[in-house]
Amino acid sequence: MAGPDITRGAEAAARQAGDGPAGDAPPGLEPRLYNADLAPTSRTGRTWRAYNIFTLWAGDVHSLGNYGFVLGLFALGLGGWQILAALGLGALGLLVLLTVSGEMGRRTGVPFPVLSRIAFGVRGAQLPALIRGVVAIAWFGIQTYLATQVLMVMVLAVAPGAAAWDAVEFLGLSGLGWVCFLALWVLQVAILLRGMEGIRRYEAFAGPVVLLTLLALAVWMLARTGPSIALAPPRPLTGGAMWWQILAGASLWTAIYGTFLLNFCDFTRGATSARAIRRGNFWGILPNSLFFGAIAVVLAGGQLTIDGQTIESPADVVRTIPNTPLLLLASAALLVLTVAVNLMANFVAPCYALANLMPRTLDFRRAGIVAALIGVVILPWNLYDSPVVIVYFLGVLGALLGPLFGIVAADYWLVRRGRIDVPGLYTDRPGTTYHYRSGVNVRAVVAFVPSAAIAVALGFVPALEDAAPFSWFVGAALGAVLTVALAPRGEHHEQVSGESISVEPSRH
């Protein structure tokens, strides 16, 4: 249990933090665990309302990768209503899980690496934080590269002479590709340097742009096809095979957000109320997923009707627009979309993970620059072109996220009943609440190893491929069950507010 000296005098010192990456930690707290960005967010001044949470999903649900997922369901034999059923079922599961995850952030006011200290210990929390951070950095670079391809189409449409730059290659990317990649890299870093408030404002701008553009694209497609649009693939599934694919699609739709389920608290720590989280999640997940599914079906069915081709993303449709100004507007909207998704899903997590690794040196913004530099150094276009890296390295790491979520959520809600000593998350003295054994909760590690092994096996062992779509849920459930089973009985968990050591949201 955290000693009383943790909070003694903290009221006077709490808002001293900020004179550098770490600032001055309040009395009784460990500077190696605390800085202004890792500190709890004060309840006054929070700005993330229902609309802001909705716009997070307005962008992320419509990501280009998600269109590829839905169009894959179309190719596998699901028609329009079956795809909507799969997305609707998956969205209902997401709605519950994201509310559970988001409420942990709102109550404690802490980011994911700090929240992980509850279950894994103040030092053991590096494990989930770094797994999440590594996955995010790799996908940050890859998504920036995918956006680069859209920007190159725009540049060549306006300046055909730039094709000469496209013929020169350096480290696997053309000269034009490097210019476009670095331009998008600088744009994203510039937004990040404005902190979480800058990201909130960008997402609020991007959400309506994305929704209106994709709606206009669907209307344009319908105008081309008329009432003869194909709403089912050439060889549709029926009977049990159809229902199995619907359930598999629903599970995968949830698993796609397995990464974001972990660190949703990074955003909801700034939420104004529980109601704001619930409303933002509801409108952003359920109706938005169905709207997204309808757009995807119209685009896929329309292109199939026109030329018999199955598209892979909205970018394929945009390239067919015969009017150059309209092509540029649509491409710009896809860039706005990709940047919004990248900031939310792949940039915030590594910032907090790296800040948690070196709080004295790295604050949120400095950590963001480091993460962005790593995103260039790894040459993400080579990663994207390597099936081994995508499937086995990133795929295996992704399979670990279900067990991590199950452990963190079960420990918070089922073992501790939401009673958290928030100041105790910033001290590692022996005998304090989250010190465990040398800063690591061995029980959490014991719960993680078998649940992670089974989740990876389900995802990658060919003999188990029928169960692969459900690997995230199996891993999360096993992690949760083992966490509860291994928890000590009869322990009293004290709830201590972190308000005395908090900082204003504008300081993050």
Side-chain angles (χ1 to χ4, degrees), residues 369-383:
I369 293 174
V370 172
L373 288 171
I374 296 173
V376 177
V377 170
I378 61 175
L379 304 179
W381 42 90
N382 293 333
L383 297 184

Side-chain angles (χ1 to χ4, degrees), residues 138-414:
W139 281 111
F140 164 77
I142 289 170
Q143 290 285 350
T144 302
Y145 165 61
L146 295 178
T148 294
Q149 295 179 314
V150 177
L151 182 55
M152 289 172 64
V153 171
M154 296 176 64
V155 171
L156 291 172
V158 175
W165 286 33
D166 202 29
V168 180
E169 185 174 300
F170 176 68
L171 295 177
L173 190 64
S174 71
L176 179 60
W178 271 105
V179 171
C180 294
F181 181 90
L182 292 176
L184 291 170
W185 186 91
V186 169
L187 171 64
Q188 292 173 98
V189 171
I191 295 171
L192 187 85
L193 290 178
R194 298 182 65 84
M196 291 298 290
E197 182 64 13
I199 293 175
R200 183 186 71 85
R201 291 180 177 179
Y202 181 83
E203 299 289 345
F205 153 75
V209 170
V210 168
L211 294 177
L212 291 174
T213 300
L214 290 167
L215 177 62
L217 202 58
V219 170
W220 179 71
M221 179 64 79
L222 287 172
R224 296 172 67 194
T225 62
S228 60
I229 187 169
L231 296 178
R235 292 180 294 277
L237 293 175
T238 59
M242 177 192 73
W243 286 107
W244 176 261
Q245 195 62 59
I246 288 174
L247 292 176
S251 179
L252 287 171
W253 184 241
T254 304
I256 284 173
Y257 293 97
T259 53
F260 200 62
L261 279 167
L262 280 177
N263 72 300
F264 190 36
C265 57
D266 293 344
F267 300 88
T268 58
R269 67 191 294 223
T272 55
S273 66
R275 184 169 180 263
I277 297 174
R278 290 194 301 268
R279 291 180 61 198
N281 279 344
F282 175 81
W283 291 105
I285 293 296
L286 190 53
N288 194 30
S289 291
L290 297 176
F291 174 70
F292 158 77
I295 297 290
V297 168
V298 167
L299 296 182
Q303 199 65 37
L304 190 65
T305 300
I306 292 170
D307 58 12
Q309 301 296 314
T310 301
I311 64 171
E312 295 182 358
S313 83
D316 295 335
V317 176
V318 168
R319 292 188 181 98
T320 67
I321 297 176
N323 183 288
T324 299
L326 292 179
L327 182 146
L328 292 175
L329 285 173
S331 298
L334 293 185
L335 286 180
V336 169
L337 163 64
T338 305
V339 170
V341 172
N342 223 12
L343 288 171
M344 165 187 156
N346 300 320
F347 213 174
V348 171
C351 293
Y352 282 124
L354 291 173
N356 185 62
L357 190 64
M358 295 183 288
R360 290 175 168 175
T361 305
L362 299 176
D363 58 12
F364 181 84
R365 292 164 177 80
R366 292 182 183 179
I369 293 174
V370 172
L373 288 171
I374 296 173
V376 177
V377 170
I378 61 175
L379 304 179
W381 42 90
N382 293 333
L383 297 184
Y384 185 71
D385 292 334
S386 170
V388 173
V389 172
I390 294 294
V391 174
Y392 291 103
F393 178 64
L394 293 179
V396 168
L397 285 180
L400 304 180
L401 301 180
L404 290 176
F405 176 79
I407 292 167
V408 170
D411 184 84
Y412 184 97
W413 291 108
L414 302 179

